[in-house]
Amino acid sequence: MRTQVGIIGAGPAGLMLSHMLHLEGISSVIIERSAQEHVQSRLRAGVLEQGTVEMMRSLGLGERIGQLGLEQHSIDFRFGGESHPINFHEATGGRSAWVYPQHEVVKDLMTARSAAGARMLFETPVTALEGIDGPTPVVRFEKDGVAGELHCDFVVGCDGFRGISRHAIPAQKAQVHDRIYPFGWLGILAEARPAIKDITWGCHEDGFAMMSIRTPSITRLYLQCEPDDSPDNWSDDRIWAALHKRLDVPGLPTINEGRITQKGVTAMRSFLFEPMQHGRLFLAGDAAHIVPPTGAKGLNSAMADVKVLARAIERHYKRGADELLERYSATCLKRMWLVQRFSAGLCTMVHSFAGDSSFVRRLQRADLEYMTGTHAGRLQFSENFTGLPVDA
Ligand code: RFL
């Protein structure tokens, strides 16, 4: 099999890249190890930046966001028994965030790709990459136990944190930057009407908690827990008691309870792999970087990478110009370090770290007070939360 761009992984990064290349008349094949139904139903990210929504709209993918997406203007930080809202829409002069779950983004992309007759191989693990230093790389895969190969001009690793593509970059050229946090998030979905429309963060001495609207009748809630915690340790009663304690404040509606339909624990880490390219291999999305979910940046950063890469590949084919391709890693990393800074900084500010001294805890409180209580603090949060510009 032969194509121009071989894409590993049918997550948001791989699907979006394939869609953007198609609109430019560039062929691609997506090879995905999981089944299509599984990829389409994974519950993950929930919040899209303004830039991600604009990007989807400009690529003909905005219809369902218009119907189902919930535009957000404000976020409510709760600490010290009080509410401290930041209106990021106002602070940024009109930028928003949208609650629109990742599985809906994936559904939109799959529908568009299928309608265009895209070549997507599911249940097909990629087993090796060869020849990425030369002009004709080969992607080796296995389909129904039979080995196959895809010949292409470029390979793009959109295969997430547990993928294989970044391991094809020679170790002596690679640098890994990593931080593992000493806590996780217990995430639940509840059949409960959200108490308020705004995303609400509880920054409590017992640990962080978050409430976010999913639909007008479904709430997504998170609780800081042990990094290796099991959902079985959390009875429904324990969950609701902890959520009330960390999120409710006097004078505002208490969170609404409802039937819990899903529970899962997510570990938290910051991770960045550089460079994001070697020879004819490029990495995009979680394959190159992971952020703690606190800033809602994972999916959005994957989209930002793909925007840069699609433009660079288009320049290569249409104008024979490779400067953007050569600069791909540097361009993405410059923005990504700012995103890492925001996500890690926020993560450190809102969680409770076991063993911290009263001095460190008071500094955390002062950080929260500066961020929510000053013009400069609110502006900095708002610019980052609604999304930094993508230099494509
Ligand atoms: P994905 O979505 O992990 O897709 C990678 C795909 O590659 C496939 N694959 C392979 N295929 C073939 N051969 C192989 N050898 C392969 N190895 C792997 C996998 O099966 C998979 O289908 O990566 P991508 O496209 O880079 O997208 C990244 C996002 O999925 C991720 O950053 C977000 O989900 C992170 N995230 C959030 N991001 C946000 O922007 N906003 C949020 O509010 C937000 N909340 C979250 C999150 C992630 C979470 N979890 C579970 C990790 C909340 C949670 C709980």
Side-chain angles (χ1 to χ4, degrees):
M1 202 173 16
R2 168 145 188 102
T3 189
Q4 288 174 303
V5 182
I7 298 175
I8 310 170
L15 289 165
M16 180 57 101
L17 179 65
S18 176
H19 179 66
M20 292 181 84
L21 294 176
H22 163 73
L23 295 180
E24 295 295 343
I26 299 165
S27 71
S28 67
V29 171
I30 301 180
I31 307 183
E32 164 61 51
R33 109 180 128 191
S34 300
Q36 183 166 5
E37 301 71 47
H38 173 75
V39 173
Q40 238 170 262
S41 59
R42 280 187 302 215
L43 278 189
R44 288 186 164 184
V47 180
L48 303 184
E49 295 172 352
Q50 171 90 28
T52 304
V53 170
E54 282 170 6
M55 182 176 166
M56 291 191 62
R57 284 181 176 154
S58 72
L59 297 167
L61 299 165
E63 194 183 327
R64 289 174 72 250
I65 296 183
Q67 295 159 0
L68 304 175
L70 299 165
E71 187 172 352
Q72 304 279 301
H73 287 177
S74 183
I75 184 165
D76 190 1
F77 287 89
R78 294 184 175 174
F79 54 89
E82 288 177 355
S83 145
H84 304 261
I86 295 182
N87 187 323
F88 49 80
H89 188 72
E90 198 177 278
T92 55
R95 295 174 69 75
S96 303
W98 272 259
V99 171
Y100 189 67
Q102 179 164 329
H103 60 269
E104 302 291 0
V105 174
V106 168
K107 199 188 277 179
D108 292 341
L109 285 163
M110 290 258 195
T111 305
R113 291 286 49 230
S114 299
R119 284 186 290 172
M120 297 187 276
L121 305 180
F122 289 94
E123 297 175 78
T124 308
V126 169
T127 50
L129 306 181
E130 284 169 16
I132 56 171
D133 286 303
T136 51
V138 178
V139 178
R140 295 201 180 280
F141 58 82
E142 225 174 85
K143 178 81 183 154
D144 302 325
V146 180
E149 51 190 52
L150 172 68
H151 295 254
C152 39
D153 300 336
F154 299 103
V155 181
V156 185
C158 298
D159 47 352
F161 183 62
R162 304 198 184 284
I164 64 157
S165 56
R166 73 170 172 275
H167 303 293
I169 295 184
Q172 66 276 15
K173 229 191 128 187
Q175 259 192 303
V176 169
H177 310 277
D178 207 4
R179 175 187 285 177
I180 294 173
Y181 298 90
F183 41 73
W185 272 13
L186 173 77
I188 66 157
L189 266 187
E191 287 173 351
R193 197 172 41 81
I196 62 167
K197 185 176 148 287
D198 295 344
I199 300 167
T200 305
W201 292 26
C203 313
H204 194 274
E205 301 75 46
D206 285 3
F208 178 72
M210 182 173 119
M211 187 207 73
S212 165
I213 187 169
R214 263 294 152 99
T215 72
S217 56
I218 295 182
T219 317
R220 182 86 165 131
L221 297 130
Y222 294 100
L223 278 171
Q224 177 179 344
C225 63
E226 295 301 318
D228 52 356
D229 226 332
S230 160
D232 299 338
N233 295 333
W234 290 82
S235 66
D236 291 7
D237 286 349
R238 184 180 173 206
I239 290 174
W240 291 116
L243 286 167
H244 280 297
K245 191 168 176 202
R246 300 182 194 182
L247 285 165
D248 289 348
V249 291
L252 286 172
T254 60
I255 53 163
N256 290 321
E257 299 185 20
R259 194 170 74 89
I260 295 176
T261 55
Q262 210 214 32
K263 277 185 208 176
V265 170
T266 307
M268 306 272 266
R269 77 190 304 158
S270 300
F271 171 89
L272 205 150
F273 181 96
E274 31 184 352
M276 288 171 61
Q277 68 191 94
H278 175 76
R280 295 232 160 187
L281 169 67
F282 297 84
L283 305 177
D286 279 16
H289 40 70
I290 294 283
V291 287
T294 336
K297 293 294 169 211
L299 166 60
N300 292 299
S301 303
M303 295 302 194
D305 290 347
V306 163
K307 189 171 176 185
V308 177
L309 187 55
R311 173 73 56 87
I313 293 175
E314 181 246 318
R315 287 287 165 94
H316 167 86
Y317 285 112
K318 300 248 170 92
R319 302 191 200 172
D322 282 350
E323 303 88 68
L324 294 187
L325 269 181
E326 284 156 13
R327 284 210 310 269
Y328 168 73
S329 179
T331 305
C332 292
L333 287 172
K334 191 167 177 208
R335 182 181 190 274
M336 198 57 215
W337 274 114
L338 296 178
V339 173
Q340 292 283 4
R341 168 191 167 276
F342 175 68
S343 303
L346 212 50
C347 185
T348 309
M349 198 191 302
V350 300
H351 286 88
S352 179
F353 287 72
D356 267 357
S357 65
S358 63
F359 183 82
V360 173
R361 286 176 191 267
R362 289 309 304 261
L363 283 184
Q364 260 182 325
R365 175 60 65 86
D367 276 338
L368 279 169
E369 277 173 357
Y370 185 80
M371 182 175 77
T372 56
T374 67
H375 174 72
R378 285 193 293 270
L379 179 60
Q380 208 194 108
F381 171 84
S382 301
E383 281 184 349
N384 282 277
F385 190 68
T386 57
L388 297 171
V390 179
D391 176 13

